[in-house]
Amino acid sequence: MKPQSPLASAAWTRSKPPLLRFLNDCLTEFSAETSGAVADYIPELSKADPAYFGISLATLDGHVYEVGDSRVPFTIQSMSKPFVFALALDMLGAARVESAIGVEPSGDPFNSIRLNAENHPFNPMVNAGAIACTGLIQESKGEAAFEEIRKALGRFAGRELDVDEAVYTSESQTGDRNRAIAYLLRTNAVIKDNVAAVLDVYFRQCAVLVTARDIAVMAATLANRGVNPVTGEQVMTPYAISRTLSVMTSSGMYDYAGEWIYRIGIPAKSGVGGGILAALPARLGLGSYSPRLDKHGNSVRGIKVCEALSSHYDLHMLNRSDDARNAIIADYHIGQSPSRRVRRPQEREILTAHEDEVRVIELVGTLSLSAVDYISRRLAARPRPQIVIFDLHRVTSTTRAGARLVAEAFEELAALGVTVVLSGVKRASREWNTLREWTADLKNVRDFYLLDTAIEWAEDQIVYRYGGSIDFHETTELSEQPLLEGLNDDELTDLASLCTIRTYKSGQKIVAAGDPADSLFFLRSGAVHVTLPDGVRLATLTAGMAFGEMALLESTRSADVLADMAATAFEVPLRDFERFRQQHPHASERIMRNLAQLLADRLIVANAKVDILTST
Amino acid sequence: MKPQSPLASAAWTRSKPPLLRFLNDCLTEFSAETSGAVADYIPELSKADPAYFGISLATLDGHVYEVGDSRVPFTIQSMSKPFVFALALDMLGAARVESAIGVEPSGDPFNSIRLNAENHPFNPMVNAGAIACTGLIQESKGEAAFEEIRKALGRFAGRELDVDEAVYTSESQTGDRNRAIAYLLRTNAVIKDNVAAVLDVYFRQCAVLVTARDIAVMAATLANRGVNPVTGEQVMTPYAISRTLSVMTSSGMYDYAGEWIYRIGIPAKSGVGGGILAALPARLGLGSYSPRLDKHGNSVRGIKVCEALSSHYDLHMLNRSDDARNAIIADYHIGQSPSRRVRRPQEREILTAHEDEVRVIELVGTLSLSAVDYISRRLAARPRPQIVIFDLHRVTSTTRAGARLVAEAFEELAALGVTVVLSGVKRASREWNTLREWTADLKNVRDFYLLDTAIEWAEDQIVYRYGGSIDFHETTELSEQPLLEGLNDDELTDLASLCTIRTYKSGQKIVAAGDPADSLFFLRSGAVHVTLPDGVRLATLTAGMAFGEMALLESTRSADVLADMAATAFEVPLRDFERFRQQHPHASERIMRNLAQLLADRLIVANAKVDILTST
């Protein structure tokens, strides 16, 4: 089914996402399909308008596409089974649930009364297993059971869900087959509680009202390891979700399971209300509503939508690829891209001699088993550094496998005496909690929010380790300024006579972006940092360096300069400096040359960083 | 099972990847397990040393971990079934194979003689289905059938595989149950050919010799959509692979399939030779060898390795996550990061006024359905540009779903009059072929290998569209040079007297990196480019701009300069310029100031690109 682009002539100002066009095409094409019949075994269900047709697709970044009657409510019916199974697993523990209900396909229709060799339901997707699930929750929560279920379904959907009382009543009045199943379960001690109460919860659970949009979001939550992609809430644990998808895969389509995995390859569940949900892990959730059912009780048009989605885009849960090498976006040592602290010659020498002892690895995307394994092999393939900095600011999720492997890798590095520094992880974020959980016992792990701060800290460790010192209290003379290199004593003396010594407190703003640039500064002691209005730190400077020197080229300050600690500086007003220029043209040319040299050096660093980030 | 870190005291210089430690731990722990018995239903198999134990794990970036007896050969047995099924699908077409063999689980043991309601084998994982598969290949290839199968298995393993003649003979002599199955298949017209010939191929296929390492690589090829991660060869189509994994999932572990999906969640297959293979899509392939079998015919230790891998790392094929937002690493317009062509003022004005009409989106990783859908929504959310550049140099694979959606998105953009430019795709690479296949009919798609060239081309289109012109034949005077801005007529005249006019042919090298920097150049006409020794283009310059100007700061050339077309330049030897500096100190200061200004401008561009690439 190739979309026809009837849209070429439309006067749009913006493009339309192709998935939306695809869903529209499905709606148009399958609306012509009028085979099948509305369910009539529950009288109230037979009243549904057979013309309704809505499709919704929710992506894992939280976008929801909707076409047709995607907001028309209908009852959830058997589509409640996977969600209630997941709830039972998390509420009662896997051991309890798994000891009462099997996970093998039965090969029978959904309403089979047959139990397995242990007299337990074959799996939670047939009515017997679903009733047993509801029974376990009822046993634990008593009268609050249904409310727990309704609220859990609502968390999957991202909104409060109601019950269709008419369908509930109708279902309850005609549910003798389910009554038979429930009594059989009690005979076999699978249900211990009041059968009528359990069935009441079960009938209500089946009568919960949803829309195609709700179903898409619920399916997307299954596809997203239990995190509702619209609300961001972790609705269930990844364990409960993966096991729920497992039983949907092996038993969700009853006696058609093998064919469904083979042909469609998307875990799915249908309900006799006319809904179908399909959850493709790590990709999308689909919900459709069209009440005409085939002989198996599945929505005719809904099945066609699933088939079209799978075949048109060649989607299949087992047709997946990934490349762990994507996880590393940059891998370099501090010689290739140092921190923005401008270092003095003695520090620079030490850092150059030991540049490969601090390795920086910038990561992106999901920290999966494959990604972390690849990173650990990259680390092992080269001589061991003293410090490894992992920048995680582009990491969007960490799998449990990835987190465990991270912990094991850090443990290994600790044993080898390597310090691990993390940057870019927001405190108390999900990633931070996950990593903390796994690395809490390790003494060799530090973290900084900014990568630049992490690199600066690592550089300091290297400087200290190799006998250097960083003395913030030393005072320097004008003659030590690189910007004034090459000036003779007379020139320096004349320039010094124009200077005023300024004293700043820690945190004081010395220069403000936007102000007139009317003086130059030579930092005499302490440290300052240069920051853009958006908060990006351009440089950290210590005694002996100039700042505000761009006043030689520009008339307005482009950045703030703040004192990092008590600091002193020589300030030269620009109007005085103009006189100095006239009197000392050679000195002035020399200063301009030095300025060009400083800018050329900074350009080399900036270009090196661009190359590191673009040559992956 | 938490690894114990007995390694802390070892005198290693490099760290050890945690997955290797994990496999070692498995080897140590499960070696203690001596239950089960070596298969004896084929006499030759009973000779295997029960102490053998080897494990291998292959990652999808082509690394193979091995511990224990990972290079000891043993016969593949039933582990041949998935690979021969995949071969049949690709060799004979899905329709032919799927019409002869079902895909539903049978619920029976592997050697069941029962057929399904259509008198076909239930699925290709039971002996009946596997023999039918071999029969289809034999029917098509005749005497060459076994050689085709042996070679196909070898492509999965990445090396030529041999047959254990003793096991083959033994298997052939004792294979009466398989003979019975084969005759039953011929009765039902599933096998048309000579039964003895088909069985001969089948017995040989089961006697192919592999090692745990081979099995890991074969499994990794299944997990990697049919691309052998070690050799890089596309062994089978993704269709055949995903359908093979489907039948492994629903029927690979016979009557234990539901439990296996639920508990382990990794498609797997075992052989009575003692091997187990497990393929986790998009993650890894596992191979193990230990000949002691449980009552189901599965290797006792092999099952334990699978269980440990799944539980220790919480791996499960349905426990996956991905974030489509990772696909975009940078999204900007040409005002934020222009090409490296230095533009003249008139061009610069036009480009600034229309900067948001060229949008650049840099992508990374896998172009999946989710990724492309997210990108198309990002595009649709903002005013439509004239030109969109997609840089794909960090894209490592494109799924068919992704490629189809890309084609649909480009079609939509074409209908809206937007030009699409691709960069970073190597000609004739797999990605290029995939994208070309899907976008061949579109007229609005262009491609350039370098992103910078793509941006430059797009800038030219904007300049042309808005009435600008780019006249490469115009000649310019020294007074038009930004580096000489502010010099008076006398100064310019004196400088001109030092110049020699040079003429260059297209492609001629004007300046070579490493040479002494002993002159400055002012481009008078034509165009040149500045390139680092590693091939990175730093800048493209047209008439009116200086090059080699870093000679004012450095004594050695750091980059090559080549003529892009016939060009002329004013050359000033540095020793002459020195005299000019002495005579005109103010002009000289002005030139240094202009140089500092040019460097400051370049620094702003470089820093902007760093910000774009680090603020994802």
Side-chain angles (χ1 to χ4, degrees):
Chain A
M1 195 193 56
K2 193 173 163 70
Q4 290 302 309
S5 289
L7 316 159
S9 59
W12 284 349
T13 49
R14 294 181 182 189
S15 59
K16 197 166 182 176
L19 271 186
L20 186 56
R21 279 169 55 183
F22 169 78
L23 296 178
N24 264 316
D25 290 342
C26 284
L27 194 76
T28 309
E29 186 170 335
F30 303 138
S31 284
E33 175 65 64
T34 56
S35 68
V38 175
D40 56 4
Y41 81 100
I42 302 168
E44 194 64 24
L45 287 183
S46 67
K47 296 181 184 167
D49 182 345
Y52 278 139
F53 190 18
I55 316 174
S56 177
L57 187 155
T59 70
L60 302 198
D61 63 307
H63 186 81
V64 186
Y65 293 109
E66 295 179 67
V67 298
D69 306 317
S70 60
R71 303 274 180 131
V72 172
F74 59 97
T75 53
I76 191 169
Q77 301 295 341
S78 286
M79 291 186 298
S80 65
K81 291 171 179 172
F83 304 104
V84 175
F85 178 62
L87 174 65
L89 284 174
D90 274 355
M91 183 185 279
L92 310 168
R96 175 78 187 93
V97 177
E98 290 163 10
S99 68
I101 303 163
V103 295
E104 286 296 337
S106 69
D108 290 334
F110 68 96
N111 59 359
S112 169
I113 200 165
R114 196 163 67 98
L115 301 182
N116 69 15
E118 293 173 302
N119 282 320
H120 289 175
F122 275 92
N123 63 68
M125 296 296 108
V126 292
N127 287 11
I131 292 168
C133 240
T134 303
L136 292 174
I137 293 170
Q138 151 77 17
E139 187 184 322
S140 161
K141 298 289 166 182
E143 287 189 0
F146 176 68
E147 199 52 19
E148 291 277 350
I149 290 174
R150 192 184 67 81
K151 283 197 172 139
L153 293 171
R155 288 198 301 275
F156 275 103
R159 70 177 186 97
E160 284 260 322
L161 300 175
D162 300 317
V163 171
D164 184 324
E165 291 294 336
V167 172
Y168 156 68
T169 307
S170 183
E171 203 142 355
S172 179
Q173 283 164 354
T174 58
D176 284 341
R177 190 172 179 94
N178 287 330
R179 272 185 197 96
I181 291 171
Y183 282 108
L184 186 68
L185 291 173
R186 195 164 71 176
T187 287
N188 291 293
V190 175
I191 292 184
K192 302 205 176 78
D193 238 316
N194 184 333
V195 164
V198 171
L199 283 171
D200 188 66
V201 175
Y202 183 70
F203 292 139
R204 279 187 184 277
Q205 150 193 337
C206 289
V208 164
L209 282 165
V210 290
T211 65
R213 181 196 160 92
D214 292 330
I215 290 295
V217 175
M218 295 172 87
T221 305
L222 292 176
N224 198 29
R225 296 199 303 164
V227 177
N228 182 317
V230 175
T231 65
E233 187 188 353
Q234 180 87 46
V235 174
M236 297 285 159
T237 63
Y239 179 90
I241 296 296
S242 59
R243 272 52 186 186
T244 298
L245 287 165
S246 296
V247 291
M248 283 171 64
T249 300
S250 57
S251 315
M253 301 308 272
Y254 312 118
D255 42 341
Y256 186 54
E259 286 274 337
W260 187 266
I261 299 180
Y262 190 87
R263 297 202 190 288
I264 314 296
I266 306 176
K269 193 81 203 74
S270 67
V272 290
I276 287 194
L277 80 81
L280 185 60
R283 284 287 169 268
L284 56 85
L286 179 80
S288 83
Y289 171 50
S290 167
R292 283 203 185 88
L293 309 182
D294 63 18
K295 61 179 176 179
H296 301 292
N298 298 322
S299 164
V300 175
R301 290 171 179 168
I303 295 282
K304 287 197 175 289
V305 173
C306 289
E307 285 171 349
L309 183 71
S310 171
S311 71
H312 183 70
Y313 290 112
D314 197 24
L315 293 175
H316 191 291
M317 66 176 184
L318 294 165
N319 188 9
R320 298 191 56 86
S321 76
D322 202 357
D323 192 324
R325 286 166 288 203
N326 297 336
I328 296 183
I329 197 149
D331 179 357
Y332 51 92
H333 61 64
I334 50 166
Q336 295 166 276
S337 185
S339 80
R340 286 176 169 174
R341 175 182 289 274
V342 181
R343 299 280 172 182
R344 278 167 299 177
Q346 183 231 11
E347 296 168 40
R348 211 151 49 213
E349 256 172 51
I350 293 173
L351 290 171
T352 302
H354 302 280
E355 58 185 16
D356 54 4
E357 294 182 24
V358 180
R359 185 139 165 217
V360 184
I361 299 183
E362 297 189 29
L363 303 171
V364 65
T366 299
L367 284 189
S368 64
L369 179 93
S370 309
V372 180
D373 168 54
Y374 174 67
I375 296 159
S376 63
R377 276 187 281 116
R378 279 266 288 238
L379 264 177
R382 285 206 239 155
R384 169 157 49 103
Q386 299 275 356
I387 301 173
V388 187
I389 300 173
F390 293 102
D391 181 64
L392 307 182
H393 89 268
R394 298 186 199 83
V395 168
T396 45
S397 68
T398 307
T399 67
R400 284 173 62 86
R404 181 173 271 270
L405 210 59
V406 162
E408 293 177 358
F410 286 4
E411 205 175 319
E412 167 82 17
L413 291 170
L416 296 168
V418 177
T419 300
V420 172
V421 182
L422 301 179
S423 69
V425 193
K426 276 207 191 78
R427 296 256 163 191
S429 65
R430 187 174 295 152
E431 294 335 292
W432 197 79
N433 289 335
T434 307
L435 288 170
R436 272 293 161 213
E437 178 190 335
W438 290 99
T439 62
D441 298 338
L442 297 174
K443 303 266 179 289
N444 66 323
V445 180
R446 297 192 58 110
D447 72 290
F448 295 95
Y449 182 58
L450 292 175
L451 173 58
D452 190 58
T453 315
I455 296 178
E456 188 180 323
W457 179 86
E459 287 172 348
D460 286 351
Q461 304 313 303
I462 296 295
V463 169
Y464 296 142
R465 188 165 302 179
Y466 294 99
S469 64
I470 298 169
D471 178 3
F472 292 111
H473 301 291
E474 110 187 274
T475 56
T476 55
E477 299 309 319
L478 279 184
S479 59
E480 297 173 62
Q481 289 280 338
L483 191 63
L484 304 178
E485 196 190 318
L487 268 59
N488 63 35
D489 289 348
D490 290 348
E491 291 163 344
L492 284 169
T493 308
D494 274 12
L495 188 62
S497 72
L498 306 175
C499 290
T500 311
I501 294 188
R502 305 285 182 196
T503 305
Y504 306 104
K505 288 182 209 148
S506 175
Q508 187 174 343
K509 187 180 277 194
I510 305 170
V511 160
D515 282 358
D518 53 12
S519 63
L520 315 176
F521 297 84
F522 298 96
L523 193 59
R524 187 170 162 269
S525 67
V528 301
H529 63 268
V530 185
T531 307
L532 287 180
D534 64 5
V536 174
R537 176 178 285 223
L538 287 181
T540 302
L541 306 170
T542 51
M545 292 151 199
F547 62 91
E549 80 284 11
M550 294 301 283
L552 294 172
L553 301 177
E554 291 158 2
S555 56
T556 305
R557 304 287 188 199
S558 58
D560 294 332
V561 179
L562 287 99
D564 268 347
M565 56 176 63
T568 61
F570 302 106
E571 180 174 9
V572 187
L574 213 56
R575 59 172 190 280
D576 297 336
F577 187 74
E578 281 303 315
R579 285 205 312 276
F580 174 84
R581 284 177 63 192
Q582 299 301 325
Q583 290 159 8
H584 300 285
H586 287 293
S588 176
E589 188 211 7
R590 182 75 204 187
I591 291 171
M592 283 299 179
R593 185 189 187 285
N594 291 339
L595 177 61
Q597 186 69 59
L598 290 173
L599 290 165
D601 292 346
R602 285 182 213 162
L603 185 59
I604 287 170
V605 170
N607 280 334
K609 181 83 190 191
V610 171
D611 284 350
I612 285 168
L613 291 170
T614 55
S615 65
T616 312
Chain B
M1 197 192 58
K2 195 174 161 68
Q4 289 305 307
S5 289
L7 316 159
S9 59
W12 284 349
T13 49
R14 295 182 182 188
S15 59
K16 197 166 183 175
L19 270 186
L20 185 57
R21 280 168 55 183
F22 169 78
L23 295 179
N24 264 316
D25 290 342
C26 284
L27 195 76
T28 308
E29 186 170 337
F30 303 139
S31 284
E33 174 63 64
T34 55
S35 68
V38 175
D40 56 5
Y41 80 101
I42 302 168
E44 195 65 25
L45 288 182
S46 66
K47 297 179 184 167
D49 181 347
Y52 277 138
F53 189 17
I55 316 174
S56 177
L57 188 155
T59 70
L60 302 199
D61 64 307
H63 186 81
V64 186
Y65 293 109
E66 297 178 66
V67 299
D69 306 316
S70 61
R71 303 273 180 131
V72 171
F74 59 96
T75 53
I76 191 169
Q77 300 296 341
S78 287
M79 290 186 298
S80 65
K81 291 170 180 174
F83 303 104
V84 175
F85 178 61
L87 174 65
L89 285 173
D90 273 356
M91 183 185 279
L92 310 169
R96 175 79 188 93
V97 177
E98 291 164 9
S99 68
I101 305 162
V103 294
E104 286 295 339
S106 68
D108 289 335
F110 68 96
N111 58 0
S112 169
I113 201 163
R114 195 162 67 98
L115 300 182
N116 70 14
E118 293 174 301
N119 282 318
H120 289 176
F122 275 91
N123 64 67
M125 297 296 107
V126 292
N127 287 10
I131 293 169
C133 240
T134 303
L136 291 175
I137 292 171
Q138 150 78 19
E139 186 184 325
S140 162
K141 298 290 168 181
E143 288 189 359
F146 176 67
E147 201 50 20
E148 291 277 349
I149 290 174
R150 191 184 67 83
K151 282 192 174 142
L153 292 171
R155 288 199 300 278
F156 275 104
R159 69 175 186 100
E160 285 261 320
L161 299 175
D162 301 317
V163 171
D164 184 324
E165 291 294 335
V167 172
Y168 155 69
T169 306
S170 185
E171 202 142 356
S172 178
Q173 284 165 355
T174 57
D176 285 341
R177 189 172 180 95
N178 286 329
R179 271 186 197 95
I181 291 171
Y183 282 107
L184 185 68
L185 291 173
R186 196 165 70 178
T187 288
N188 290 294
V190 175
I191 291 184
K192 300 205 175 80
D193 238 316
N194 184 332
V195 164
V198 171
L199 284 171
D200 188 67
V201 174
Y202 183 70
F203 292 140
R204 277 186 187 279
Q205 151 194 337
C206 290
V208 164
L209 283 165
V210 289
T211 64
R213 182 196 159 93
D214 292 329
I215 290 296
V217 175
M218 295 172 87
T221 305
L222 292 176
N224 197 30
R225 294 199 305 165
V227 176
N228 181 316
V230 176
T231 66
E233 186 187 354
Q234 180 87 47
V235 175
M236 298 285 158
T237 63
Y239 179 90
I241 296 297
S242 60
R243 272 54 188 186
T244 298
L245 287 166
S246 296
V247 291
M248 282 170 66
T249 300
S250 58
S251 315
M253 300 309 272
Y254 313 116
D255 41 340
Y256 186 53
E259 286 274 337
W260 187 266
I261 300 179
Y262 189 88
R263 295 199 192 290
I264 315 294
I266 307 177
K269 193 83 202 73
S270 67
V272 291
I276 286 194
L277 81 81
L280 186 60
R283 283 289 170 267
L284 57 85
L286 179 80
S288 82
Y289 172 49
S290 168
R292 283 204 185 88
L293 310 182
D294 64 19
K295 62 180 177 180
H296 301 290
N298 298 321
S299 165
V300 175
R301 290 172 180 166
I303 294 283
K304 287 197 174 289
V305 173
C306 289
E307 286 171 349
L309 184 69
S310 170
S311 70
H312 183 69
Y313 289 113
D314 197 25
L315 293 175
H316 191 290
M317 67 177 183
L318 294 164
N319 188 7
R320 298 192 56 86
S321 76
D322 202 358
D323 191 325
R325 286 166 287 202
N326 297 336
I328 296 182
I329 196 147
D331 179 356
Y332 51 93
H333 61 65
I334 50 168
Q336 295 166 275
S337 184
S339 80
R340 286 176 169 175
R341 175 182 289 275
V342 181
R343 299 281 173 182
R344 276 167 302 176
Q346 183 230 12
E347 297 167 40
R348 211 150 49 213
E349 256 171 50
I350 293 174
L351 290 171
T352 302
H354 302 279
E355 58 186 16
D356 54 3
E357 294 182 25
V358 180
R359 184 139 165 218
V360 184
I361 300 183
E362 297 188 30
L363 303 172
V364 65
T366 299
L367 284 189
S368 64
L369 179 95
S370 309
V372 180
D373 168 56
Y374 175 66
I375 296 159
S376 64
R377 276 186 279 116
R378 279 266 287 237
L379 264 177
R382 284 207 239 155
R384 171 158 48 104
Q386 299 275 356
I387 300 173
V388 186
I389 300 173
F390 293 103
D391 181 64
L392 307 181
H393 90 269
R394 298 187 198 81
V395 168
T396 45
S397 68
T398 308
T399 68
R400 285 173 62 87
R404 180 173 271 272
L405 210 60
V406 163
E408 292 177 359
F410 286 4
E411 207 176 320
E412 167 83 15
L413 291 170
L416 295 169
V418 177
T419 299
V420 173
V421 182
L422 301 178
S423 69
V425 192
K426 276 209 192 78
R427 296 256 164 190
S429 66
R430 187 174 295 153
E431 293 336 291
W432 196 79
N433 289 335
T434 307
L435 287 170
R436 271 295 160 209
E437 178 191 336
W438 291 99
T439 61
D441 298 337
L442 297 174
K443 303 267 180 285
N444 66 323
V445 180
R446 297 192 58 109
D447 72 289
F448 296 95
Y449 182 58
L450 291 175
L451 173 58
D452 189 57
T453 316
I455 296 177
E456 186 179 323
W457 179 86
E459 287 171 348
D460 287 349
Q461 305 311 304
I462 296 296
V463 169
Y464 296 143
R465 188 165 301 179
Y466 294 100
S469 63
I470 298 169
D471 179 3
F472 291 112
H473 302 291
E474 108 187 276
T475 55
T476 54
E477 298 309 318
L478 280 183
S479 60
E480 297 172 63
Q481 288 281 339
L483 191 62
L484 305 178
E485 197 190 318
L487 268 60
N488 64 35
D489 289 348
D490 291 347
E491 291 162 344
L492 284 170
T493 307
D494 274 10
L495 189 63
S497 72
L498 305 175
C499 289
T500 310
I501 294 189
R502 304 286 183 196
T503 306
Y504 306 104
K505 288 181 211 148
S506 174
Q508 188 175 343
K509 187 179 277 191
I510 305 170
V511 160
D515 282 357
D518 52 13
S519 64
L520 315 177
F521 298 84
F522 298 97
L523 193 59
R524 187 170 160 268
S525 67
V528 301
H529 63 268
V530 185
T531 307
L532 287 180
D534 63 5
V536 174
R537 177 177 286 223
L538 286 181
T540 302
L541 305 170
T542 51
M545 292 150 195
F547 62 91
E549 79 284 9
M550 294 301 282
L552 294 173
L553 301 177
E554 292 158 4
S555 57
T556 306
R557 303 288 188 198
S558 59
D560 295 331
V561 179
L562 288 98
D564 268 346
M565 57 174 62
T568 61
F570 302 107
E571 181 174 7
V572 188
L574 213 55
R575 59 172 190 279
D576 297 337
F577 187 75
E578 280 304 314
R579 285 205 314 274
F580 174 84
R581 285 176 63 190
Q582 298 302 324
Q583 289 160 10
H584 300 284
H586 286 292
S588 175
E589 188 213 7
R590 183 73 204 187
I591 290 171
M592 284 298 179
R593 184 189 188 285
N594 291 339
L595 177 62
Q597 186 68 59
L598 290 173
L599 290 166
D601 291 345
R602 285 182 213 162
L603 185 59
I604 287 169
V605 170
N607 280 334
K609 182 81 191 190
V610 171
D611 283 351
I612 285 169
L613 290 170
T614 55
S615 64
T616 312

